[in-house]
Amino acid sequence: IAPSSFINASCSGATTLDMTQSQSLEGGVQTAPPQFNALGANDALVTVGIGGNDAGLISVAEECAELDVIWPFGDRCQSHYQSGGSDQVVAAIDATGPKVAAVLQGIHLRAPQARVLLVGYPDGLPQNGSNCYPTVPFSKADVVWFNSMEKDLNAVLAQTAAANGATYVDTFTSSIGHDACAGSNAWVNGIVPTSPAFPLHPNQAGEANMAKQVEGAL
């Protein structure tokens, strides 16, 4: 795979709104242009990774850390988001689907010849429900719950891709065992970062794996 040229319009912290409007950076000192500005009628391939910030999963992780850091037992974080009889995070994930669908439709409109790949999210926390205090100061129950939320988000993305003429790229399966608690084998930072990347975001090895999965999808 050797494109003659490519444009990287991605930006940390972006939501689906930032596809069509400028994104404020550094507390409003700088802005990034709308990501759709990079699209053109002759584009052959578009990859996009979006949805996690719309669903607010990093904010949820930060809240879990604050709730569990002193007493990493029980399910304080899950209970916090399920107060009132409904799961606020599930609702936010479900609401993300139509937003991502609109992004995919917008890409097709602006780059009608392009193959579109929607890249999912890698495994952030141990699938066996274990925890690793203080790198990820979650209780075991909240690790299990947060894992289920990430799986829900990836499922929504996969369904949305299938319904909107895009290919979903699974980066989760290949990253199992390389979560934030995997020490030197981790492909994702913990809540307390151990590499130059944002908390619960892929490090260099994680990004390399995501690129490999994109290549495999092609």
Side-chain angles (χ1 to χ4, degrees):
I1 301 171
S4 58
S5 64
F6 66 91
I7 297 173
N8 179 8
S10 62
C11 191
S12 178
T15 69
T16 52
L17 291 175
D18 299 312
M19 303 300 105
T20 55
Q21 67 182 32
S22 296
Q23 181 180 350
S24 178
L25 307 173
E26 303 297 334
V29 176
Q30 295 178 302
T31 60
Q35 292 190 28
F36 276 2
N37 285 9
L39 297 173
N42 295 322
D43 291 342
L45 173 68
V46 177
T47 64
V48 58
I50 200 71
N53 291 324
D54 289 86
L57 285 194
I58 294 299
S59 296
V60 171
E62 291 171 344
E63 182 70 18
C64 286
E66 290 181 11
L67 289 170
D68 288 356
V69 64
I70 297 175
W71 184 254
F73 304 97
D75 60 355
R76 295 177 67 192
C77 192
Q78 179 180 2
S79 297
H80 171 75
Y81 285 104
Q82 292 180 340
S83 60
S86 62
D87 194 311
Q88 301 168 40
V89 184
V90 169
I93 290 171
D94 289 343
T96 298
K99 298 175 184 178
V100 174
V103 169
L104 297 177
Q105 292 162 15
I107 293 171
H108 288 308
L109 181 65
R110 293 165 176 82
Q113 299 183 57
R115 183 175 179 187
V116 181
L117 271 58
L118 179 61
V119 183
Y121 291 90
D123 181 22
L125 299 177
Q127 289 303 296
N128 61 7
S130 62
N131 57 357
C132 56
Y133 191 95
T135 304
V136 180
F138 287 21
S139 70
K140 292 183 178 180
D142 284 335
V143 166
V144 171
W145 173 75
F146 189 86
N147 277 337
S148 70
M149 294 301 98
E150 187 181 5
K151 289 178 180 177
D152 283 351
L153 175 60
N154 277 331
V156 166
L157 295 179
Q159 294 162 7
T160 303
N164 291 275
T167 299
Y168 173 72
V169 181
D170 173 16
T171 69
F172 188 94
T173 302
S174 58
S175 64
I176 292 174
H178 296 279
D179 54 76
C181 292
S184 61
N185 291 319
W187 289 352
V188 176
N189 260 348
I191 297 295
V192 179
T194 54
S195 68
F198 201 72
L200 286 186
H201 281 59
N203 57 24
Q204 184 175 356
E207 293 285 1
N209 177 65
M210 294 178 76
K212 181 179 178 181
Q213 302 312 311
V214 168
E215 290 177 346
L218 293 173

